[in-house]
Amino acid sequence: MLFLFLAPYFNEKMALRAPKAHRIKHFSMNKKCLKCSRLNDLYDSFESSRTYEGENNVLLQQTANVLLSLYSTSVPVESPLNSFKVLQKRAPKFERWGENIVHDIKKAYEWLILHFAEKTAVEIKKLTRSGMTEATAKNYAFYECCKPLAIVYVEYTILSCFCEVTEQACKGIKATLDLLMTVYATSSIKKHIAALYAGGYTSDGKWVARISDVLNCAVAEMKNNAVLICDEIAPDDFLLHSIIGKSDGQVHECLWEQFKKEANVRPDWLPDLVQFLKKKK
């Protein structure tokens, strides 16, 4: 995929040293390849930073506001994914590893959510007492407290849903899903190592080493099946609608067929026009 982005750039750089006719040929071919690949269209449609609610920070702020409002109340709240129940749980600190490291990581996430919720609530109270409005206080506390709270909540929800799907999966794919779930859980929790240690969740210096070892082992075990996994989760050719990204791998053949469809066919009246122009001379 990276090659598809960089190839037109290098081709154009090399074409600048060629005669003008060759430059035109290179530029036109690059534009056609880029158009056929639909990379720009796919980027515009599926880039995660593009949202219909404005900047992603707005969505994170809204998520944090909901979590804080529910955290301050003791009334249980039902939700489609049952993700708000974590706010009513009691999350103890780390004591020892269990049999399933993913479940241990879920417990770490539960502790993180409550930790950031408490930290955010205290910070907002402190800022409001200093004379700020609640909205201004939330803006000031966003990057330090609200944003991490929303992120760990989202990652915890994804991991919880992943666990449920894996438990209900058939035996044929359960082992692969377990590997994918382990890779996601360990790689995600590693981003919050500093918060876990600073907050006092664990003081065991080998805790992060255990996470790294499990992640490396899972990646090494999954590496042999990486291509098959990508093929399974890849969208169909009909949905992708990309000449270069077809699953049959026949890139050059597909490009040639597409170019023939878009080639400029000489009109039937061209010979008559040529004869007319010759007579005018």
Side-chain angles (χ1 to χ4, degrees):
M1 185 63 73
L2 180 61
F3 170 76
L4 294 178
F5 281 107
L6 297 181
Y9 170 79
F10 288 113
N11 286 340
E12 290 182 6
K13 289 295 183 182
M14 295 174 64
L16 290 176
R17 303 178 182 178
K20 185 176 181 180
H22 290 283
R23 293 185 194 178
I24 296 174
K25 179 181 177 181
H26 274 282
F27 291 153
S28 61
M29 287 294 292
N30 289 337
K31 299 304 179 185
K32 286 183 179 180
C33 288
L34 185 60
K35 180 64 177 177
C36 292
S37 68
R38 291 190 68 243
L39 290 175
N40 289 337
D41 298 333
L42 293 171
Y43 178 85
D44 292 339
S45 300
F46 300 104
E47 169 58 29
S48 58
S49 63
R50 295 170 176 263
T51 66
Y52 294 99
E53 297 290 339
E55 193 180 7
N56 275 346
N57 287 333
V58 177
L59 298 177
L60 293 174
Q61 182 72 69
Q62 292 174 345
T63 304
N65 290 341
V66 173
L67 293 174
L68 289 173
S69 63
L70 296 177
Y71 177 72
S72 59
T73 62
S74 58
V75 180
V77 179
E78 297 294 333
S79 62
L81 299 178
N82 295 322
S83 57
F84 292 144
K85 289 184 177 180
V86 65
L87 297 172
Q88 277 76 43
K89 288 185 177 180
R90 179 183 175 274
K93 295 182 179 180
F94 175 76
E95 295 180 356
R96 62 180 182 274
W97 293 105
E99 297 180 357
N100 191 329
I101 192 171
V102 175
H103 292 167
D104 294 331
I105 292 175
K106 281 185 63 178
K107 293 178 182 178
Y109 266 116
E110 292 172 358
W111 184 91
L112 270 176
I113 292 173
L114 296 178
H115 168 70
F116 278 122
E118 178 66 23
K119 181 180 178 181
T120 305
V122 171
E123 182 67 18
I124 291 175
K125 282 183 180 180
K126 184 177 72 173
L127 293 174
T128 52
R129 287 173 182 172
S130 65
M132 292 184 183
T133 62
E134 186 176 356
T136 305
K138 287 181 179 179
N139 289 334
Y140 270 85
F142 175 72
Y143 284 101
E144 188 70 23
C145 304
C146 297
K147 186 175 181 179
L149 170 61
I151 289 175
V152 296
Y153 164 75
V154 171
E155 291 176 353
Y156 170 78
T157 304
I158 294 174
L159 183 58
S160 299
C161 295
F162 207 156
C163 290
E164 292 179 5
V165 172
T166 304
E167 290 174 358
Q168 299 172 4
C170 59
K171 294 182 179 180
I173 62 173
K174 192 175 186 306
T176 303
L177 289 178
D178 282 332
L179 278 177
L180 289 173
M181 182 172 60
T182 302
V183 170
Y184 174 77
T186 51
S187 60
S188 298
I189 199 64
K190 282 188 69 175
K191 303 173 187 176
H192 311 291
I193 293 296
L196 290 168
Y197 277 104
Y201 176 72
T202 179
S203 58
D204 186 0
K206 296 182 179 179
W207 194 88
V208 63
R210 165 73 171 162
I211 295 292
S212 299
D213 291 342
V214 173
L215 174 60
N216 293 334
C217 292
V219 170
E221 189 175 350
M222 190 179 63
K223 183 172 61 176
N224 295 331
N225 297 324
V227 176
L228 296 177
I229 293 173
C230 291
D231 287 341
E232 287 298 323
I233 64 177
D236 294 335
D237 290 341
F238 174 76
L239 297 176
L240 191 61
H241 193 54
S242 173
I243 301 300
I244 295 179
K246 279 191 173 182
S247 58
D248 57 11
Q250 299 180 359
V251 179
H252 297 91
E253 291 82 354
C254 294
L255 280 174
W256 178 243
E257 292 297 326
Q258 185 67 23
F259 289 164
K260 287 196 298 184
K261 292 179 183 179
E262 299 181 1
N264 294 326
V265 182
R266 292 187 177 184
D268 297 335
W269 46 262
L270 184 59
D272 298 334
L273 177 61
V274 173
Q275 294 297 329
F276 175 77
L277 294 175
K278 286 182 178 180
K279 290 179 181 180
K280 285 292 184 180
K281 291 181 179 180

